Amino acid sequence: MNFITVSAKLVDQPKSLESKIPCSVCNIEIAKPAFGKSYVPVYAELKIWGKNSSLLSGAPQGQQIIIIDGELIINYNKETQSNEIEIKAKAIAPYHEGPAWPSINNVILAGRTFMDFDPADPKQRNYRSTQSGWIFAEQRLAVQNKTTDKYPDIYSFKTVYNNNAEYRGTNYADVIANILNRKNIPVTIKGSLVREESKNSETGDVRHYPKILLADKNALSVAELKQNSSQNVKPQEPKAQSTSTVIADNPWKDTDNFPSLAPDPTPIPKVATAPDTSNDPF
């Protein structure tokens, strides 16, 4: 499962690719979250294939749009040593940001966890907390976007929880640390696409990491790993079939000996006839 519905702005003028199937491509900018100092806007490449490609090719530069039920792909480019984000969409629509038109950023992914870590290990960085009450947790998710014989795509997802908040939601950080701390656990996540910026204080190098920031509610759905005995299918043993009867002789050569299947005919009642009196004298 891989769905993204997000509002974005067209960075440049859309172009049409020369191919058998119509395709329009354009670079887009996704707004950063309202909270978080390390987040920066997300830049991605948007592609629309098929007859709906005309919806993108005719849009002007700077147009605000909403992408409906697209597919999110994140690949690592070894040459540039950076992550490239691609969104494949089937439909878009004009969108206006403002007080009545808030930013939309919803991502739903289903797959299996891809990392083992021990939350009690002080050297690991997947689960940590601060003295001020903030808790951070991260994990990776392997999503089978293509056929099962291909390698899955890897996504990073994270959550932030504040113990000192007045209205506390679900502590998904502890869920990741206690349940999702090992590989191959089937899980579905819901969140938003963000991009973290990390700067090396010594070298000054800046790196960006696209991640899925878990939602405040209904962010995780963990599948049951143990089999339920009531759901196990018992193998059915094949039943012995009776042997068929083969008639060697011609069954129609002596039909007189066969009993008739027709019903018995209804007997016709006898009618009494009057005597002939034509020769009588009177």
Side-chain angles (χ1 to χ4, degrees), residues 29-176:
E29 177 184 326
I30 301 173
K32 65 178 182 179
F35 303 99
K37 297 180 180 180
S38 62
Y39 300 128
V40 295
V42 179
Y43 293 94
E45 183 183 56
L46 173 63
K47 287 184 178 180
I48 298 183
W49 296 86
K51 61 181 181 180
N52 287 338
S53 61
S54 59
L55 299 175
L56 178 61
S57 60
Q61 181 180 358
Q63 172 71 47
Q64 296 285 346
I65 63 171
I66 181 170
I67 303 168
I68 305 170
D69 287 345
E71 182 182 7
L72 176 63
I73 305 296
I74 300 177
N75 293 320
Y76 181 75
N77 192 328
K78 294 182 179 180
E79 296 181 358
T80 60
Q81 295 183 355
S82 61
N83 293 287
E84 298 178 349
I85 304 174
E86 179 183 349
I87 298 178
K88 301 178 182 178
K90 294 182 179 179
I92 62 172
Y95 193 76
H96 304 279
E97 289 188 350
W101 301 80
S103 298
I104 297 177
N105 193 337
N106 294 323
V107 178
I108 298 177
L109 299 173
R112 292 178 178 268
T113 54
F114 197 70
M115 183 184 299
D116 291 329
F117 69 92
D118 183 6
D121 185 3
K123 296 182 180 181
Q124 56 83 27
R125 301 287 295 173
N126 292 82
Y127 180 78
R128 60 191 188 277
S129 60
T130 63
Q131 295 181 354
S132 58
W134 291 95
I135 305 176
F136 305 88
E138 291 189 22
Q139 178 58 288
R140 291 183 180 180
L141 186 71
V143 180
Q144 204 75 48
N145 291 321
K146 302 178 182 179
T147 57
T148 55
D149 59 337
K150 303 295 182 181
Y151 288 105
D153 295 326
I154 308 301
Y155 301 82
S156 296
F157 65 94
K158 62 172 295 186
T159 185
V160 180
Y161 184 77
N162 185 6
N163 272 325
N164 299 324
E166 183 178 0
Y167 301 100
R168 304 178 188 177
T170 304
N171 189 347
Y172 290 116
D174 286 352
V175 175
I176 294 176

Side-chain angles (χ1 to χ4, degrees), residues 2 9 32 41-42 52 74 87 117 170 176 184 201 206 222 256 258 280:
N2 185 332
K9 180 178 69 174
K32 65 178 182 179
V42 179
N52 287 338
I74 300 177
I87 298 178
F117 69 92
T170 304
I176 294 176
N184 208 32
S201 58
V206 178
V222 183
D256 294 338
F258 288 171
D280 292 345

